[in-house]
């Protein structure tokens, strides 16, 4: 087995355990909600119509959006009741997945309960059963196979959708898929898909066994299926039960540089004796919040991001003053410690093809503004909505012919092949140099500085050993080395894993 | 013949479904221990009238008294546990063994003592072999299933049996033997039985009193002998005409050979 597979597999037990935990919790909660609701709905067509409509509506919301919606919702609720609710990780994932599991369970339970043979119902009434006796002796057992089929469908959906909970910081097999997609590490993607598919298939088979056991009234099958599920649950969640006090959680947003820096931080903390865990692929908005609440212990952010997103500032300060202001603000408002800047910047950089730069003498954003009406703009999915784009347009009269969004992976090829003429690249991206692209200068200083900064959770701010382990990273990474490390992970051939790139980068630290 | 069944009194009972008047002001006294047949065309209100006696259907107006107590003096489920109910679609619980189906009334009443013996006794009563006890309903023929239906209804020793076309779906031979056997049971146990049927021949054979219903009302109330001798109204005469013609035909055939 090669190293890529070994690396992927080494993370599987823990992620599988978390995946099982979140899926089972969501499924259990959905059953807890749906089964009483179905009993009510089976007795009242109005209730059935309303609840089924709501459940179907929820089902039309894409899973990713549903998860994303719970983050601001929980933040709002938390603010309303004076804090204490974590909008990060388990809770939003649980709620979103539960909502997602409602429809199949509810629909089948209502169908099953209303579909009970009228003769059996009349007999039950005629014998003098009360409502609950009728449910217990007749309706529930006769509807059980149909209900079970609904639970089975919900289980498969939930296990699949649980991969998306990575985006709100709940570990799952999706961690492998998202990280793999970002770094084009197909081994990771494949491992994530294989294990979540295998999980879904085995759960489906076992629930199917139970369903058949009930349908054909062979108790032994139902019990066997149940026992196997219980055993599987126990084995799968074993890694979660091993005592894990004082585990450091290292956060990373969803791109290669973040994965590499997280591994760099992690390897140093491991050397210092800490047990570490990675929470990769976190949304920009989620990760700072998670840090301030202690769900994440440390991660790398960028000064301009904190400045515009968290502090809601639209003015611009010189680099040193801005860093100072950020350190002050995060310490005061959240107790977050800014340990310092890593020494390189990853800002938005407008890049053009070298032949265009030469032919049209493009050196600055002023030059770009001059030709912008003939230029097609390629950008990442969020840039056009970000304040930086507004700042650039306020400073330079840029009006592009049109704009298209790409994932970073495809943005560079689009520029090289001439599909677009200018892109909003990231200045530390190794693909700029590798493709010989020309980065245009920003003489008016419109784009705020994006110094990489190391942020610590409030609880870690006073941890001397912790600080000592990662303090050597401050001012120690040059932009060239960062580009090189990024390129190792991003390039097509001879790809390295983020861990390998982090090892390489650790060798190159500036004293 | 010991009588354990109660008497029944209906006072001006009505029941509407929207514009349809299913039962229209019926008043009636039924003596304890009698076997009363309710006959009439389909839709004439027989089932509705029967089901009001165990409150599977609630009347719009009027009063029903079984024995000494109005039916609404207790919760419906308590009332129904004291009344045996058998109907055409049988409604055995497909997920329970025959034994459990028979004993379900005892289970509801919390009677755990001697359940096994009672099941054996009931199987014998409805003339089913003991080894049926462990079978599932779908392994029995229609006739056997309805025997179980009768046994189930009798399990808690009710005095009153309400039967809604109980043998209507069975083949004639099975039906005849069941009718015969039930008649014997009724007499042996001293039950009060009200049986709905659309088969006048069955009613004439089985009942000691026949009520002919039409459009929610009782149009004729007579003993089988009175019915056969005529003079009880057109509706009744029309219903009796069929078995009479059949009998005559059979006799004619017999004379020829
Ligand atoms: N649940 C019900 N809803 C509406 N109409 C009903 C219902 N039950 C009976 N009816 C109507 O009441 C009338 C009497 O029905 P029923 O008592 O079943 O007659 P029978 O048993 O003599 O065939 C019929 O017109 C029938 O359509
Ligand atoms: Mg009827």
């Amino acid at each position: 087995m090669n190293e890529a597979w070994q690396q992927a597999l080494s993370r599987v037990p823990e992620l599988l355990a978390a995946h099982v935990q979140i899926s089972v919790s969501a499924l259990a909660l959905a059953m807890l909600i749906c089964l009483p609701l179905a009993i009510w709905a089976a007795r009242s067509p109005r209730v059935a119509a309303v609840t089924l409509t709501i459940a179907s509506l929820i089902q039309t919301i894409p899973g990713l959006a549903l998860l994303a919606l719970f983050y601001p919702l929980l933040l709002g609720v938390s603010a309303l009741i004076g804090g204490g609710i974590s909008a990060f990780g388990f809770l939003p994932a649980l709620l979103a997945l539960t909502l997602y599991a409602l429809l199949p369970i509810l629909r089948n339970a209502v169908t099953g309960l209303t579909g009970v043979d009228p003769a059996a119902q009349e007999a039950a009434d005629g014998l003098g059963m009360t409502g609950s006796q009728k449910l217990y002796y007749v309706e529930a057992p006769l509807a059980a196979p149909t209900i079970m089929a609904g639970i089975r469908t919900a289980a498969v959906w939930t296990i699949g959708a649980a991969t998306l909970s990575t985006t709100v910081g709940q570990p799952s097999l999706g961690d492998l898929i998202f990280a793999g997609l970002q770094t084009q590490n197909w081994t990771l993607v494949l491992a994530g898909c294989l294990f979540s598919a295998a999980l879904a298939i085995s759960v489906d088979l076992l629930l199917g066994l139970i369903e058949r056991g009930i349908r054909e009234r062979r108790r032994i099958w139902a019990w066997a299926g149940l026992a196997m599920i219980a055993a599987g649950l126990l084995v799968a969640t074993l890694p979660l039960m091993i005592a894990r006090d004082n585990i450091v959680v290292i956060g990373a947003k969803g791109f290669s540089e973040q994965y590499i820096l997280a591994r760099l931080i992690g390897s140093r903390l491991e050397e210092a004796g800490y047990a570490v865990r990675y929470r990769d692929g976190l949304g920009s908005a989620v990760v700072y919040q998670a840090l301030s609440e202690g769900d994440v212990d440390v991660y790398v952010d960028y000064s301009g991001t904190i400045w515009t997103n968290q502090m809601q500032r639209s003015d611009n300060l010189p680099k040193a003053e801005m860093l100072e202001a950020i350190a002050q603000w995060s310490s005061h408002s959240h107790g977050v410690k800014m340990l310092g800047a890593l020494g390189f910047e990853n800002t938005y950089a407008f890049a053009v093809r070298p032949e265009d730069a030469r032919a049209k003498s493009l050196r600055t954003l002023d030059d770009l503004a001059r030709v912008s009406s003939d230029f097609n703009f390629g950008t990442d999915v969020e840039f056009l909505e970000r304040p930086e784009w507004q700042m650039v347009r306020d400073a330079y009269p840029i009006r592009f012919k049109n704009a298209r969004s790409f994932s970073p992976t495809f943005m560079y090829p689009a520029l090289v092949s001439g599909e677009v003429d200018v892109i909003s690249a990231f200045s530390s991206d190794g693909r700029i140099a590798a493709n010989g692209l020309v980065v245009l200068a920003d003489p008016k200083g419109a784009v705020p500085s994006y110094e990489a900064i190391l942020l610590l959770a409030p609880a870690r701010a006073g941890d001397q050993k912790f600080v000592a382990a990662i303090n050597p990273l401050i001012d120690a990474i040059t932009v060239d080395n960062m580009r090189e490390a990024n390129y190792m992970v991003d390039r097509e051939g001879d790809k390295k894993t983020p861990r390998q790139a982090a090892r390489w980068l650790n060798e190159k630290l500036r004293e | 013949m010991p009588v354990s069944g109660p008497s029944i009194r209906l006072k001006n009972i009505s029941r509407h479904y929207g514009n349809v008047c299913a039962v229209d002001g019926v008043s009636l006294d039924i003596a304890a221990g009698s076997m009363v047949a309710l006959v009439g065309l389909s839709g004439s209100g027989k089932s509705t009238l029967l089901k009001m006696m165990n409150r599977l259907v609630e009347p719009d107006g009027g009063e029903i008294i079984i024995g000494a107590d109005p039916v609404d003096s207790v919760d419906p489920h308590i009332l129904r546990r004291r009344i045996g109910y058998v109907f055409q679609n049988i409604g055995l619980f497909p997920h329970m063994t025959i034994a459990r189906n028979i004993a379900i009334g005892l289970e509801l009443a919390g009677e755990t003592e001697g359940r096994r013996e009672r099941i054996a006794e009931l199987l014998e009563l409805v003339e089913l072999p003991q080894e049926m006890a462990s079978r599932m309903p779908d392994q029995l023929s229609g006739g056997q299933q309805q025997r179980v239906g009768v046994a189930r209804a009798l399990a808690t020793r009710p005095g009153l049996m309400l039967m809604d076309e109980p043998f209507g779906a069975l083949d004639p031979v099975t039906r005849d033997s069941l009718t015969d056997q039930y008649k014997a049971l009724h007499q042996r146990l001293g039950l009060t039985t009200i049986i709905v049927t659309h088969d006048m021949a069955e009613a004439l054979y089985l009942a000691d009193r026949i009520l002919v219903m039409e459009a929610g009302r009782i149009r004729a109330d007579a003993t089988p002998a009175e019915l056969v001798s005529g003079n009880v109204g057109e509706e009744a005469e029309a219903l009796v005409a069929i078995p009479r013609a059949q009998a005559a035909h059979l006799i004619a055939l017999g004379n020829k050979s």
Side-chain angles (χ1 to χ4, degrees):
Chain A
M1 208 181 332
N2 65 26
E3 194 188 334
W5 271 105
Q6 262 168 15
Q7 201 208 328
L9 291 183
S10 71
R11 297 187 57 197
V12 163
E14 197 182 326
L15 294 177
L16 182 67
H19 200 103
V20 167
Q21 187 190 33
I22 185 70
S23 314
V24 168
S25 307
L27 206 59
L29 185 58
M31 281 160 63
L32 217 62
I33 296 171
C34 283
L35 297 180
L37 207 59
I39 291 168
W40 189 22
R43 281 159 171 56
S44 154
R46 173 106 54 86
V47 174
V50 171
T51 50
L52 282 172
T53 306
I54 293 174
S56 313
L57 276 179
I58 293 171
Q59 208 59 236
T60 63
I61 306 174
L64 204 57
L66 195 63
L67 277 157
L69 282 174
F70 265 101
Y71 178 70
L73 199 73
L74 285 174
L75 275 188
V77 171
S78 186
L80 213 64
I81 64 165
I85 294 181
S86 174
F88 178 79
F90 189 76
L91 190 60
L94 175 70
L95 295 178
L97 290 177
T98 299
L99 283 184
Y100 230 50
L102 292 182
L103 183 65
I105 302 183
L106 192 64
R107 192 174 46 199
N108 276 49
V110 172
T111 308
L113 288 173
T114 51
V116 170
D117 177 12
Q121 305 217 36
E122 187 174 344
D125 289 331
L127 281 160
M129 291 192 189
T130 61
S132 46
Q133 285 172 332
K134 193 172 160 187
L135 184 68
Y136 173 79
Y137 284 110
V138 181
E139 291 167 321
L142 292 183
T146 314
I147 297 175
M148 202 57 217
I151 292 173
R152 200 173 149 191
T153 307
V156 173
W157 285 7
T158 305
I159 290 169
T163 53
L164 301 175
S165 58
T166 295
T167 52
V168 289
Q170 162 62 29
S172 76
L173 290 167
D175 287 26
L176 300 176
I177 299 174
F178 279 93
L181 281 175
Q182 269 308 323
T183 59
Q184 295 194 294
N185 179 339
W186 306 122
T187 312
L188 276 185
V189 176
L190 206 62
C193 291
L194 280 179
F195 277 92
S196 62
L199 180 63
I201 291 170
S202 7
V203 168
D204 188 47
L205 285 176
L206 290 177
L207 290 177
L209 187 67
I210 298 179
E211 183 190 327
R212 231 180 115 187
I214 298 175
R215 198 181 291 281
E216 298 178 9
R217 301 186 225 300
R218 301 197 198 186
R219 285 208 184 159
I220 186 85
W221 288 9
W223 284 114
L226 211 60
M228 280 193 267
I229 284 192
L233 208 61
L234 201 70
V235 171
T237 52
L238 220 51
L240 293 175
M241 297 174 195
I242 297 162
R244 40 179 62 259
D245 298 337
N246 212 21
I247 284 203
V248 176
V249 178
I250 302 169
K253 304 186 196 187
F255 49 93
S256 307
E257 179 170 297
Q258 287 274 320
Y259 297 140
I260 297 168
L261 291 173
R263 270 54 186 183
L264 178 57
I265 295 167
S267 65
R268 300 192 69 93
L269 286 170
E270 274 175 338
E271 261 171 49
Y274 289 92
V276 306
R277 223 174 353 148
Y278 300 100
R279 303 264 14 83
D280 289 337
L282 302 178
S284 235
V286 170
V287 61
Y288 183 85
Q289 179 78 22
L291 182 82
S292 67
E293 288 179 0
D295 292 322
V296 162
D297 290 290
V298 53
Y299 84 102
V300 172
D301 212 324
Y302 304 92
S303 54
T305 308
I306 303 289
W307 187 253
T308 52
N309 289 4
Q310 301 300 329
M311 299 167 68
Q312 305 277 325
R313 301 272 294 251
S314 54
D315 53 336
N316 207 343
L317 286 185
K319 194 164 101 180
E321 285 171 45
M322 185 187 280
L323 287 178
E324 182 56 32
I326 290 172
Q328 290 276 335
W329 176 84
S330 39
S331 161
H332 280 141
S333 46
H334 300 103
V336 165
K337 183 179 177 70
M338 186 187 110
L339 201 59
L342 296 178
F344 74 94
E345 208 181 345
N346 181 3
T347 187
Y348 285 103
F350 287 80
V352 295
R353 284 181 295 271
E355 49 284 15
D356 277 347
R358 235 176 296 114
K360 297 177 173 139
S361 53
L362 304 176
R363 274 176 297 110
T364 68
L365 290 178
D366 279 314
D367 300 330
L368 180 64
R370 182 162 45 76
V371 298
S372 64
S373 58
D374 295 331
F375 268 33
N376 292 315
F377 183 33
T379 179
D380 65 46
V381 287
E382 62 175 54
F383 183 69
L384 294 177
E385 307 304 325
R386 291 185 60 90
E388 291 85 354
W389 174 226
Q390 194 56 47
M391 293 173 183
V392 169
R393 290 207 299 177
D394 289 347
Y396 305 95
I398 294 176
R399 296 291 175 273
F400 289 119
K401 193 157 109 192
N402 78 44
R404 287 173 58 190
S405 302
F406 297 89
S407 88
T409 313
F410 300 114
M411 194 165 68
Y412 294 91
L415 178 60
V416 171
S417 69
E419 246 180 277
V420 296
D421 306 302
V422 54
I423 58 173
S424 63
F426 301 99
S427 61
S428 60
D429 198 313
R431 288 169 286 201
I432 295 179
N435 288 306
L437 303 177
V438 174
V439 172
L440 302 177
D442 172 18
K444 294 183 187 156
V447 181
S449 105
Y450 279 80
E451 289 292 325
I453 52 177
L454 203 48
L455 298 176
L456 269 54
R460 297 294 181 187
D463 185 339
Q464 291 307 319
K465 190 172 106 180
F466 191 94
V467 170
I470 54 176
N471 210 37
L473 297 178
I474 301 303
D475 261 333
I477 302 174
T478 66
V479 72
D480 287 335
N481 284 339
M482 192 70 240
R483 276 186 191 147
E484 180 85 37
N486 285 340
Y487 193 58
M488 290 177 180
V489 175
D490 289 333
R491 68 190 166 201
E492 294 295 326
D494 189 26
K495 265 173 129 37
K496 299 281 189 268
T497 65
R499 190 180 294 277
Q500 290 168 321
R503 222 175 286 146
W504 178 87
L505 195 57
N506 198 34
E507 304 286 306
K508 301 279 179 184
L509 291 184
R510 199 159 49 192
E511 289 299 321
Chain B
M1 180 180 80
V3 172
S4 68
S7 62
I8 304 172
R9 165 168 292 186
L10 274 61
K11 292 185 192 164
N12 199 22
I13 287 293
S14 301
R15 168 72 202 207
H16 295 81
Y17 289 106
N19 292 332
V20 179
C21 185
V23 172
D24 187 7
V26 170
S27 296
L28 198 61
D29 271 309
I30 293 171
S34 55
M35 165 86 86
V36 177
L38 268 177
V39 296
L41 299 175
S42 150
S44 57
K46 309 179 295 289
S47 295
T48 307
L49 186 65
L50 190 78
K51 285 179 181 174
M52 285 193 284
M53 297 183 200
N54 66 358
R55 292 180 67 187
L56 284 175
V57 172
E58 294 289 350
D60 299 332
E63 196 182 13
I64 300 177
I65 298 164
I66 296 182
D69 306 315
V71 289
D72 50 9
S73 62
V74 288
D75 280 339
H77 66 272
I78 302 290
L79 174 79
R80 290 177 200 148
R81 287 179 195 177
R82 300 201 286 242
I83 301 173
Y85 180 61
V86 180
F87 60 109
Q88 182 169 5
N89 294 330
I90 309 175
L92 294 189
F93 302 128
H95 56 298
M96 296 180 184
T97 59
I98 297 307
R100 185 131 188 258
N101 262 288
I102 291 178
I104 189 80
L106 303 171
E107 204 170 329
L108 295 176
E111 272 180 52
T112 45
E113 287 288 301
R115 202 178 284 176
R116 192 187 297 264
E117 292 73 27
R118 181 75 180 136
I119 292 168
E121 194 185 338
L122 285 159
L123 282 172
E124 207 179 301
L125 201 63
V126 296
E127 301 183 19
L128 279 176
Q130 293 296 327
E131 63 264 26
M132 292 281 173
S134 57
R135 301 248 186 109
M136 299 306 279
D138 60 5
Q139 295 170 309
L140 269 58
S141 72
Q144 289 170 325
Q145 287 187 21
Q146 192 54 296
R147 284 172 195 269
V148 175
V150 173
R152 176 173 70 177
L154 288 170
T156 52
R157 299 191 166 83
L160 172 61
M161 288 288 279
L162 303 178
M163 307 180 92
D164 193 346
E165 306 193 27
F167 312 127
L170 306 177
D171 66 86
V173 176
T174 312
R175 183 172 167 170
D176 261 9
S177 82
L178 262 170
T179 309
D180 249 354
Q181 286 161 12
Y182 183 76
K183 187 174 181 179
L185 260 179
H186 165 87
Q187 282 167 354
R188 180 139 61 94
L189 302 174
L191 303 170
T192 304
T193 300
I194 302 178
I195 183 164
V196 170
T197 173
H198 54 235
D199 180 351
M200 186 50 105
E202 188 178 76
L204 289 170
Y205 172 70
L206 201 53
D208 38 50
R209 181 176 173 190
I210 295 175
L211 305 172
V212 181
M213 282 194 80
E214 197 204 62
R217 289 165 182 259
I218 293 180
R219 289 299 158 100
D221 179 352
T223 63
E226 286 166 346
L227 265 184
V228 175
S229 67
N231 311 326
V232 283
E234 265 173 50
E235 294 85 6
E237 190 49 44
L239 288 167
V240 178
I242 301 161
R244 184 179 287 151
Q246 284 172 342
H249 184 62
L250 284 180
I251 290 165
L253 280 179
N255 287 346
K256 254 178 230 167
S257 63

